[in-house]
Amino acid sequence: MSNEPSLERYSRQMRFPGVGVEGQRRLAASRVTLCGCGALGTVLANALVRAGVGFLRVIDRDFIETHNLQRQVLFDEADVTANLPKAEAAARKLRLINSEVAIEPVVTDIDRTNILELTGDADLILDGTDNFEVRYLINDAAVKLGKPWVYGGCIGSHGQTMTILPGKTPCLRCVIPAGPGPGEGATCETAGVLGPTVNIIASYQSTEALKILTGHADAINRDLIYLDVWENVFKKFSISKLLEKANCVCCRQRKFEWLDGQHGSQTTSLCGRNAVQVSHRAAAKLDFEGIAKQLRSLGEVSFNRFMLRFQVDGFEFTVFPDGRAIIKGTNDVDKARTLYAKYIGH
């Protein structure tokens, strides 16, 4: 007698020619690492578990707050009351949705010391993060290990996504050689984000995942997709030629600068001060006027040419022109990095 789990629950999915019985079996045997379980991550996890992926590792460093519920679809008010980490709360919900899927919650901060271990046994890596530092780490790891991954990002009413097959399509650094520096780009805290934007981008990402995992990588999207749901804009940018033209430092030169620690942030807990210092290695001089303009909706912001200061949610930020920040009100370095990403940028 076969030990294969019943495929009946996936009958409507298998009737689609792109999946079929063989595709469903491939999906059930596949392993996925999901980096981040916030807005994009919860939609991705929900879609893949319902579709019948075999194993899903859910990685997130953060806890659930009430303002997350507007767009992070796996969570509810009870999770906020229970003060659960996002990865653990997501795993509990996902197991109720599909008990046949193995879920591994990992409550940690993804960095260069652990990303290879967290992604090494995966068939696919999915981007559910909210910052470019982790995305470039994912890109380095994926190219080094030869694993496909799907990028997605949202802010306000617009979002974008692309699929990366190392050696066959441009990687993230071919298309976006460097992300916005601290203070250069809006964040969800300063510009907001619409739930429908998140759902659309994550739906594109999860569909790309199904193509890859069911053995139809030839059907993947090979463009950069951009959309703005408020302005009714949808665009596809052809990027395929960049694979040959970009002389990319990552996928062509195979220099893994993010994995090697040449880029990225460092955190230090300041003893006796209930504060954490977050430092960026390669930050340009910050535009304090621009940052202040973005933050003023959250409260009073003051700055001179030496530093910028503001308070939000009981935390006091002192930001310096080189991108360094001291965040008072916590000794938790993971929390400090989350706050930095939320209010200063990535």
Side-chain angles (χ1 to χ4, degrees), residues 20-75:
V21 175
E22 180 57 31
Q24 192 65 49
R25 286 176 174 149
R26 286 185 179 222
L27 193 58
S30 64
R31 300 175 65 88
V32 176
T33 291
L34 172 61
C35 299
C37 196
L40 289 170
T42 52
V43 178
L44 287 166
N46 181 57
L48 288 182
V49 166
R50 290 182 186 276
V53 68
F55 171 89
L56 180 66
R57 177 177 293 123
V58 181
I59 312 166
D60 199 284
R61 70 190 182 194
D62 210 353
F63 286 74
I64 305 163
E65 299 175 83
T66 303
H67 62 77
N68 298 147
L69 304 182
Q70 165 254 344
R71 63 199 179 281
Q72 298 185 14
V73 299
L74 283 179
F75 307 136

Side-chain angles (χ1 to χ4, degrees), residues 15 43 76 120 168 217 240:
R15 288 178 187 174
V43 178
D76 56 38
K168 297 179 181 178
S240 59

